[in-house]
Short mmCIF file of all heavy atoms in Angstrom, two decimals:
data_model
loop_
_atom_site.label_atom_id
_atom_site.label_comp_id
_atom_site.label_asym_id
_atom_site.label_seq_id
_atom_site.Cartn_x
_atom_site.Cartn_y
_atom_site.Cartn_z
N LYS A 19 136.16 83.12 139.19
CA LYS A 19 135.55 82.17 140.12
C LYS A 19 136.22 82.27 141.49
O LYS A 19 137.37 81.89 141.68
CB LYS A 19 135.68 80.74 139.56
CG LYS A 19 134.77 79.74 140.23
CD LYS A 19 133.32 80.00 139.89
CE LYS A 19 132.39 79.09 140.65
NZ LYS A 19 130.98 79.50 140.49
N ASN A 20 135.46 82.78 142.46
CA ASN A 20 135.96 82.92 143.83
C ASN A 20 135.36 81.90 144.79
O ASN A 20 135.96 81.59 145.82
CB ASN A 20 135.65 84.33 144.35
CG ASN A 20 136.23 85.41 143.46
OD1 ASN A 20 137.37 85.32 143.02
ND2 ASN A 20 135.44 86.43 143.17
N LEU A 21 134.17 81.39 144.46
CA LEU A 21 133.47 80.46 145.34
C LEU A 21 133.91 79.03 145.04
O LEU A 21 134.23 78.69 143.91
CB LEU A 21 131.96 80.58 145.13
CG LEU A 21 131.34 81.94 145.42
CD1 LEU A 21 129.87 81.95 144.98
CD2 LEU A 21 131.46 82.29 146.89
N PRO A 22 133.90 78.17 146.06
CA PRO A 22 134.20 76.76 145.81
C PRO A 22 133.13 76.12 144.94
O PRO A 22 131.97 76.56 144.92
CB PRO A 22 134.24 76.14 147.22
CG PRO A 22 133.49 77.09 148.09
CD PRO A 22 133.66 78.44 147.50
N LEU A 23 133.51 75.07 144.22
CA LEU A 23 132.59 74.41 143.29
C LEU A 23 131.69 73.42 144.03
O LEU A 23 132.08 72.86 145.06
CB LEU A 23 133.38 73.67 142.21
CG LEU A 23 134.37 74.51 141.40
CD1 LEU A 23 135.10 73.62 140.40
CD2 LEU A 23 133.67 75.67 140.70
N ALA A 24 130.48 73.22 143.49
CA ALA A 24 129.52 72.24 144.04
C ALA A 24 129.42 72.38 145.56
O ALA A 24 129.56 71.41 146.29
CB ALA A 24 129.94 70.82 143.65
N SER A 25 129.14 73.60 146.00
CA SER A 25 129.27 73.90 147.42
C SER A 25 127.98 74.32 148.10
O SER A 25 127.98 74.66 149.28
CB SER A 25 130.30 75.02 147.62
OG SER A 25 129.89 76.19 146.92
N GLY A 26 126.85 74.34 147.38
CA GLY A 26 125.59 74.74 148.00
C GLY A 26 125.41 76.23 148.13
O GLY A 26 124.49 76.69 148.81
N LEU A 27 126.25 77.02 147.46
CA LEU A 27 126.16 78.48 147.53
C LEU A 27 125.54 79.08 146.28
O LEU A 27 125.43 80.30 146.17
CB LEU A 27 127.56 79.08 147.75
CG LEU A 27 128.23 78.74 149.09
CD1 LEU A 27 129.66 79.28 149.12
CD2 LEU A 27 127.43 79.28 150.27
N GLY A 28 125.14 78.24 145.33
CA GLY A 28 124.47 78.74 144.14
C GLY A 28 125.36 79.48 143.18
O GLY A 28 124.86 80.27 142.37
N GLY A 29 126.66 79.23 143.23
CA GLY A 29 127.59 80.00 142.41
C GLY A 29 127.28 79.95 140.92
O GLY A 29 127.22 80.99 140.25
N GLY A 30 127.10 78.76 140.38
CA GLY A 30 126.82 78.64 138.95
C GLY A 30 125.52 79.30 138.55
O GLY A 30 125.43 79.96 137.51
N SER A 31 124.50 79.15 139.39
CA SER A 31 123.21 79.78 139.11
C SER A 31 123.31 81.30 139.16
O SER A 31 122.73 82.02 138.34
CB SER A 31 122.16 79.30 140.12
OG SER A 31 121.93 77.92 139.98
N SER A 32 124.05 81.81 140.13
CA SER A 32 124.24 83.26 140.24
C SER A 32 125.03 83.79 139.06
O SER A 32 124.70 84.86 138.50
CB SER A 32 124.97 83.59 141.54
OG SER A 32 125.12 84.99 141.69
N ASP A 33 126.06 83.05 138.63
CA ASP A 33 126.83 83.48 137.46
C ASP A 33 125.93 83.58 136.23
O ASP A 33 126.03 84.52 135.45
CB ASP A 33 127.97 82.49 137.19
CG ASP A 33 128.97 82.41 138.35
OD1 ASP A 33 129.05 83.36 139.14
OD2 ASP A 33 129.66 81.37 138.44
N ALA A 34 125.05 82.60 136.07
CA ALA A 34 124.14 82.60 134.91
C ALA A 34 123.17 83.77 134.98
O ALA A 34 122.94 84.47 133.98
CB ALA A 34 123.38 81.28 134.85
N ALA A 35 122.56 83.99 136.16
CA ALA A 35 121.61 85.09 136.30
C ALA A 35 122.29 86.44 136.09
O ALA A 35 121.73 87.35 135.46
CB ALA A 35 120.97 85.04 137.69
N THR A 36 123.51 86.58 136.61
CA THR A 36 124.24 87.83 136.44
C THR A 36 124.56 88.07 134.98
O THR A 36 124.52 89.22 134.50
CB THR A 36 125.53 87.80 137.29
OG1 THR A 36 125.18 87.60 138.66
CG2 THR A 36 126.32 89.09 137.16
N THR A 37 124.85 87.01 134.25
CA THR A 37 125.06 87.12 132.81
C THR A 37 123.81 87.66 132.12
O THR A 37 123.88 88.56 131.27
CB THR A 37 125.46 85.76 132.21
OG1 THR A 37 126.65 85.30 132.85
CG2 THR A 37 125.69 85.86 130.72
N LEU A 38 122.65 87.12 132.47
CA LEU A 38 121.39 87.59 131.89
C LEU A 38 121.16 89.07 132.21
O LEU A 38 120.79 89.87 131.32
CB LEU A 38 120.22 86.77 132.40
CG LEU A 38 120.17 85.30 132.00
CD1 LEU A 38 118.99 84.61 132.66
CD2 LEU A 38 120.09 85.14 130.48
N LEU A 39 121.37 89.46 133.46
CA LEU A 39 121.15 90.85 133.86
C LEU A 39 122.12 91.78 133.16
O LEU A 39 121.75 92.89 132.73
CB LEU A 39 121.29 90.98 135.38
CG LEU A 39 120.20 90.32 136.22
CD1 LEU A 39 120.60 90.31 137.70
CD2 LEU A 39 118.87 91.03 136.05
N ALA A 40 123.37 91.35 133.03
CA ALA A 40 124.36 92.18 132.36
C ALA A 40 124.02 92.37 130.89
O ALA A 40 124.12 93.48 130.34
CB ALA A 40 125.74 91.54 132.51
N LEU A 41 123.59 91.29 130.25
CA LEU A 41 123.25 91.38 128.83
C LEU A 41 122.01 92.25 128.61
O LEU A 41 121.88 92.92 127.57
CB LEU A 41 123.05 89.99 128.25
CG LEU A 41 124.36 89.27 127.90
CD1 LEU A 41 124.12 87.80 127.62
CD2 LEU A 41 125.04 89.94 126.73
N ALA A 42 121.09 92.22 129.58
CA ALA A 42 119.91 93.08 129.47
C ALA A 42 120.30 94.55 129.50
O ALA A 42 119.60 95.41 128.94
CB ALA A 42 118.92 92.76 130.58
N GLU A 43 121.44 94.86 130.15
CA GLU A 43 121.96 96.23 130.14
C GLU A 43 122.71 96.53 128.83
O GLU A 43 122.55 97.60 128.24
CB GLU A 43 122.91 96.44 131.32
CG GLU A 43 122.26 96.55 132.67
CD GLU A 43 123.28 96.87 133.76
OE1 GLU A 43 124.40 97.30 133.42
OE2 GLU A 43 122.95 96.69 134.95
N LEU A 44 123.53 95.58 128.41
CA LEU A 44 124.36 95.79 127.23
C LEU A 44 123.54 95.80 125.95
O LEU A 44 123.78 96.60 125.04
CB LEU A 44 125.43 94.71 127.14
CG LEU A 44 126.54 94.74 128.19
CD1 LEU A 44 127.40 93.49 128.09
CD2 LEU A 44 127.41 95.98 128.00
N TYR A 45 122.57 94.88 125.87
CA TYR A 45 121.73 94.73 124.67
C TYR A 45 120.26 94.71 125.09
O TYR A 45 119.62 93.67 125.11
CB TYR A 45 122.07 93.44 123.93
CG TYR A 45 123.49 93.33 123.45
CD1 TYR A 45 124.34 92.33 123.93
CD2 TYR A 45 123.99 94.20 122.49
CE1 TYR A 45 125.64 92.21 123.47
CE2 TYR A 45 125.30 94.11 122.04
CZ TYR A 45 126.12 93.11 122.53
OH TYR A 45 127.41 93.00 122.08
N PRO A 46 119.69 95.88 125.44
CA PRO A 46 118.29 95.92 125.89
C PRO A 46 117.35 95.36 124.83
O PRO A 46 117.48 95.67 123.64
CB PRO A 46 118.04 97.41 126.14
CG PRO A 46 119.39 98.01 126.30
CD PRO A 46 120.30 97.22 125.43
N ALA A 47 116.41 94.52 125.28
CA ALA A 47 115.43 93.93 124.36
C ALA A 47 114.26 93.41 125.17
O ALA A 47 114.35 93.26 126.40
CB ALA A 47 116.06 92.81 123.54
N ASP A 48 113.17 93.15 124.49
CA ASP A 48 111.97 92.62 125.15
C ASP A 48 112.13 91.11 125.34
O ASP A 48 111.60 90.31 124.56
CB ASP A 48 110.73 92.93 124.31
CG ASP A 48 109.44 92.53 125.03
OD1 ASP A 48 109.49 92.30 126.26
OD2 ASP A 48 108.40 92.42 124.35
N VAL A 49 112.88 90.74 126.38
CA VAL A 49 113.19 89.34 126.64
C VAL A 49 112.63 88.95 128.01
O VAL A 49 112.74 89.72 128.98
CB VAL A 49 114.72 89.10 126.61
CG1 VAL A 49 115.05 87.68 127.06
CG2 VAL A 49 115.27 89.36 125.22
N ASP A 50 112.00 87.80 128.10
CA ASP A 50 111.45 87.29 129.35
C ASP A 50 112.59 86.66 130.16
O ASP A 50 112.85 85.46 130.05
CB ASP A 50 110.36 86.26 129.05
CG ASP A 50 109.61 85.82 130.31
OD1 ASP A 50 110.10 86.08 131.43
OD2 ASP A 50 108.54 85.19 130.18
N LEU A 51 113.26 87.48 130.97
CA LEU A 51 114.41 86.98 131.73
C LEU A 51 114.04 85.85 132.69
O LEU A 51 114.78 84.84 132.78
CB LEU A 51 115.08 88.12 132.50
CG LEU A 51 115.86 89.15 131.70
CD1 LEU A 51 116.59 90.09 132.65
CD2 LEU A 51 116.84 88.49 130.75
N PRO A 52 112.93 85.94 133.47
CA PRO A 52 112.59 84.83 134.37
C PRO A 52 112.41 83.51 133.64
O PRO A 52 112.80 82.46 134.14
CB PRO A 52 111.30 85.30 135.05
CG PRO A 52 111.39 86.79 135.02
CD PRO A 52 112.04 87.11 133.71
N ALA A 53 111.81 83.55 132.45
CA ALA A 53 111.60 82.31 131.69
C ALA A 53 112.94 81.73 131.24
O ALA A 53 113.17 80.52 131.34
CB ALA A 53 110.70 82.57 130.49
N LEU A 54 113.83 82.59 130.75
CA LEU A 54 115.16 82.12 130.36
C LEU A 54 115.89 81.55 131.57
O LEU A 54 116.55 80.51 131.48
CB LEU A 54 115.99 83.27 129.78
CG LEU A 54 115.72 83.72 128.35
CD1 LEU A 54 116.75 84.78 127.95
CD2 LEU A 54 115.75 82.56 127.38
N ALA A 55 115.77 82.24 132.70
CA ALA A 55 116.47 81.80 133.91
C ALA A 55 115.98 80.43 134.36
O ALA A 55 116.79 79.56 134.71
CB ALA A 55 116.26 82.83 135.03
N LEU A 56 114.68 80.22 134.39
CA LEU A 56 114.13 78.94 134.84
C LEU A 56 114.55 77.82 133.91
O LEU A 56 114.80 76.69 134.36
CB LEU A 56 112.61 79.01 134.92
CG LEU A 56 111.91 77.76 135.48
CD1 LEU A 56 112.41 77.42 136.88
CD2 LEU A 56 110.40 77.96 135.49
N HIS A 57 114.66 78.10 132.63
CA HIS A 57 115.11 77.08 131.68
C HIS A 57 116.55 76.66 131.97
O HIS A 57 116.94 75.51 131.73
CB HIS A 57 114.98 77.61 130.25
CG HIS A 57 115.32 76.60 129.20
ND1 HIS A 57 114.52 75.51 128.92
CD2 HIS A 57 116.40 76.50 128.37
CE1 HIS A 57 115.07 74.80 127.97
NE2 HIS A 57 116.21 75.37 127.62
N LEU A 58 117.35 77.59 132.52
CA LEU A 58 118.75 77.30 132.83
C LEU A 58 118.91 76.50 134.12
O LEU A 58 119.84 75.70 134.25
CB LEU A 58 119.55 78.60 132.94
CG LEU A 58 119.73 79.37 131.63
CD1 LEU A 58 120.19 80.79 131.91
CD2 LEU A 58 120.72 78.66 130.72
N GLY A 59 118.00 76.70 135.08
CA GLY A 59 118.10 75.98 136.35
C GLY A 59 117.14 76.53 137.37
O GLY A 59 116.77 77.71 137.33
N ALA A 60 116.74 75.68 138.33
CA ALA A 60 115.70 76.06 139.29
C ALA A 60 116.11 77.22 140.18
O ALA A 60 115.26 78.00 140.63
CB ALA A 60 115.31 74.84 140.14
N ASP A 61 117.41 77.37 140.48
CA ASP A 61 117.87 78.45 141.37
C ASP A 61 118.12 79.75 140.63
O ASP A 61 118.28 80.80 141.27
CB ASP A 61 119.16 78.03 142.09
CG ASP A 61 118.90 77.12 143.27
OD1 ASP A 61 117.72 76.92 143.64
OD2 ASP A 61 119.88 76.60 143.83
N VAL A 62 118.20 79.71 139.31
CA VAL A 62 118.63 80.90 138.57
C VAL A 62 117.64 82.06 138.71
O VAL A 62 118.06 83.22 138.89
CB VAL A 62 118.89 80.55 137.09
CG1 VAL A 62 119.35 81.78 136.31
CG2 VAL A 62 119.93 79.43 136.98
N PRO A 63 116.30 81.83 138.66
CA PRO A 63 115.38 82.97 138.81
C PRO A 63 115.58 83.76 140.10
O PRO A 63 115.41 84.98 140.12
CB PRO A 63 114.00 82.31 138.76
CG PRO A 63 114.20 81.08 137.96
CD PRO A 63 115.57 80.58 138.34
N PHE A 64 115.93 83.07 141.18
CA PHE A 64 116.13 83.78 142.45
C PHE A 64 117.18 84.87 142.32
O PHE A 64 117.03 85.98 142.84
CB PHE A 64 116.53 82.80 143.55
CG PHE A 64 117.16 83.48 144.75
CD1 PHE A 64 116.40 84.22 145.62
CD2 PHE A 64 118.53 83.41 144.95
CE1 PHE A 64 116.98 84.88 146.71
CE2 PHE A 64 119.12 84.05 146.03
CZ PHE A 64 118.35 84.79 146.91
N PHE A 65 118.26 84.58 141.61
CA PHE A 65 119.36 85.53 141.54
C PHE A 65 119.04 86.73 140.66
O PHE A 65 119.79 87.72 140.67
CB PHE A 65 120.63 84.82 141.05
CG PHE A 65 121.24 83.91 142.08
CD1 PHE A 65 121.08 82.54 142.01
CD2 PHE A 65 121.97 84.44 143.14
CE1 PHE A 65 121.63 81.70 142.96
CE2 PHE A 65 122.53 83.61 144.10
CZ PHE A 65 122.36 82.23 144.01
#
Protein backbone atom coordinates (compact mmCIF):
# COMPACT_ATOMS: atom_id res chain seq x y z
CA LYS A 1 0.00 0.00 0.00
CA ASN A 2 1.63 3.20 -1.26
CA LEU A 3 -1.42 5.45 -1.62
CA PRO A 4 -3.09 7.22 1.30
CA LEU A 5 -6.34 5.69 2.54
CA ALA A 6 -9.81 7.11 1.80
CA SER A 7 -8.18 9.69 -0.44
CA GLY A 8 -10.27 9.88 -3.63
CA LEU A 9 -7.61 8.12 -5.72
CA GLY A 10 -9.48 4.84 -6.11
CA GLY A 11 -6.76 2.81 -4.43
CA GLY A 12 -8.98 0.05 -3.05
CA SER A 13 -10.92 -0.24 -6.30
CA SER A 14 -7.71 -0.41 -8.33
CA ASP A 15 -6.28 -3.06 -6.00
CA ALA A 16 -9.42 -5.16 -6.49
CA ALA A 17 -9.43 -4.77 -10.29
CA THR A 18 -5.72 -5.59 -10.47
CA THR A 19 -6.38 -8.72 -8.44
CA LEU A 20 -9.03 -9.80 -10.96
CA LEU A 21 -6.73 -9.11 -13.92
CA ALA A 22 -3.84 -10.95 -12.29
CA LEU A 23 -5.98 -13.98 -11.52
CA ALA A 24 -7.26 -14.02 -15.10
CA GLU A 25 -3.60 -14.49 -16.10
CA LEU A 26 -2.75 -17.02 -13.41
CA TYR A 27 -5.96 -19.07 -13.73
CA PRO A 28 -7.51 -18.39 -17.18
CA ALA A 29 -11.22 -19.15 -17.29
CA ASP A 30 -14.45 -17.99 -18.91
CA VAL A 31 -15.25 -15.41 -16.22
CA ASP A 32 -17.21 -12.17 -16.70
CA LEU A 33 -14.66 -9.80 -15.15
CA PRO A 34 -16.75 -6.59 -15.59
CA ALA A 35 -19.68 -8.21 -13.77
CA LEU A 36 -17.45 -9.35 -10.91
CA ALA A 37 -15.87 -5.90 -10.79
CA LEU A 38 -19.19 -4.04 -10.61
CA HIS A 39 -20.35 -6.32 -7.80
CA LEU A 40 -17.24 -5.28 -5.84
CA GLY A 41 -17.74 -1.53 -6.31
CA ALA A 42 -18.81 1.16 -8.78
CA ASP A 43 -15.22 2.28 -9.55
CA VAL A 44 -13.76 -1.20 -9.99
CA PRO A 45 -14.82 -1.75 -13.65
CA PHE A 46 -12.92 1.38 -14.71
CA PHE A 47 -9.63 -0.06 -13.51
